[in-house]
Amino acid sequence: MNKGLVIIPTYNEKENVALMIEAVFDLSMQFDLLIVDDGSPDGTAAIVKHMQSIWPDRLHILEREGKHGLGTAYIAGFQYGLDKGYEYMFEMDCDFSHDPKDLEKLSNACAKDGFDVAIGSRYVDGLVNVVNWPISRVMMSIFASLYVRFITGIPVSDTTAGFKCYRRHVLETIPFNKIKFVGYAFQIEMKFTAWKYGFKIKEIPIIFTDRSRGESKMTRGIFQEAVLGVLQMRIYSLFRKYLRVEA
């Protein structure tokens, strides 16, 4: 079985990227790592390229000029992973809000338990597992997930989660050219699309810890984009067929 590929988009993450690379490679379960850097002016890409001398076969980087959005970064990473033959691909943040140790839980949900998509969930079984967020942001995130569930019907508690594992055939099925959103609404759209195609989704409880180094990329405008985008996405889905070829 091929190792999983962990895809981490970066922009100005020099304070975190080396620590994250070391943390992923220190895990007992082996993963490869792809950094997709959007022209960070702080030298993030240079740090990654220096560390490639330590892990030349496991650490990879895609450098892009300018900021093109979270969604396009992940799609570029997915395409890289598909081209290289990886069976499992993971989305993960660089700021340690996602614990690298939880990669093993997501991997087992897909590789051992047979799910197609595994989501590291902050809100599952009625719990709120978030550390160091102000209550206003927690409530905004919970409201967003409730709103998405109400509009779309998707049976996922943490619809905006950005910590996930996809099996290869999910990403081979989803037509990337039909994914409309490039910001954080991308996370919602990918889950919704996988669900509409009938893939099996599992939420895995995790503890989400807000970043302690570097600056957050989240803004109120990003939240508003997601709220408006969900309505547009739902309307669009009414006129679209979701047919897939079984693996």
Side-chain angles (χ1 to χ4, degrees):
M1 180 181 70
N2 287 330
K3 296 186 295 291
L5 179 68
V6 179
I7 302 165
I8 301 181
T10 56
Y11 183 78
N12 286 349
E13 292 288 358
K14 69 177 183 180
E15 292 141 315
N16 292 305
V17 70
L19 295 172
M20 177 56 73
I21 290 169
E22 291 170 352
V24 171
F25 290 154
D26 279 346
L27 296 172
S28 57
M29 185 177 289
Q30 197 171 74
F31 300 92
D32 287 356
L33 182 55
L34 172 67
I35 304 296
V36 184
D37 187 71
D38 272 6
S40 297
D42 71 344
T44 298
I47 295 171
V48 177
K49 287 188 283 189
H50 173 74
M51 297 184 76
Q52 283 184 303
S53 63
I54 306 172
W55 296 284
D57 298 323
R58 297 181 60 194
L59 178 58
H60 313 281
I61 184 169
L62 287 178
E63 293 183 83
R64 309 195 306 168
E65 294 185 4
K67 295 179 70 175
H68 300 288
L70 182 75
T72 64
Y74 274 125
I75 287 174
F78 294 153
Q79 194 59 63
Y80 179 95
L82 291 173
D83 291 344
K84 298 297 182 180
Y86 288 94
E87 181 62 29
Y88 304 97
M89 280 163 267
F90 301 78
E91 292 186 13
M92 186 177 180
D93 290 347
C94 191
D95 59 9
F96 285 91
S97 55
H98 304 142
D99 187 342
K101 294 178 183 177
D102 289 330
L103 285 168
E104 299 184 354
K105 297 179 185 177
L106 299 183
S107 179
N108 286 334
C110 290
K112 292 185 177 180
D113 298 337
F115 290 94
D116 301 303
V117 182
I119 300 169
S121 179
R122 299 162 292 183
Y123 317 120
V124 68
D125 298 330
L127 301 176
V128 178
N129 294 318
V130 176
V131 177
N132 293 338
W133 261 11
I135 189 63
S136 60
R137 189 166 176 185
V138 173
M139 294 306 297
M140 184 171 68
S141 177
I142 292 173
F143 168 77
S145 283
L146 290 173
Y147 171 77
V148 172
R149 293 188 69 179
F150 175 74
I151 295 296
T152 67
I154 185 173
V156 171
S157 297
D158 193 351
T159 58
T160 62
F163 192 22
K164 301 193 287 296
C165 175
Y166 291 99
R167 294 188 67 180
R168 178 185 182 88
H169 65 265
V170 177
L171 300 175
E172 288 177 325
T173 298
I174 294 175
F176 296 144
N177 64 328
K178 291 187 177 181
I179 297 297
K180 302 297 183 183
F181 300 108
V182 298
Y184 280 79
F186 167 83
Q187 302 289 15
I188 300 169
E189 187 175 11
M190 284 292 291
K191 296 182 191 71
F192 177 72
T193 305
W195 174 64
K196 290 293 286 183
Y197 273 109
F199 289 112
K200 295 184 294 182
I201 300 174
K202 174 70 174 179
E203 289 189 85
I204 307 297
I206 64 162
I207 296 176
F208 179 96
T209 305
D210 196 20
R211 68 162 64 232
S212 59
R213 294 175 297 272
E215 296 183 0
S216 174
K217 314 304 189 295
M218 177 63 75
T219 66
R220 188 169 296 275
I222 288 172
F223 174 76
Q224 291 171 346
E225 175 204 50
V227 170
L228 295 174
V230 167
L231 202 54
Q232 180 183 349
M233 181 184 72
R234 176 68 178 116
I235 294 170
Y236 174 71
S237 72
L238 298 176
F239 303 95
R240 177 178 169 186
K241 293 183 179 180
Y242 296 85
L243 302 175
R244 62 185 171 102
V245 177
E246 294 295 333

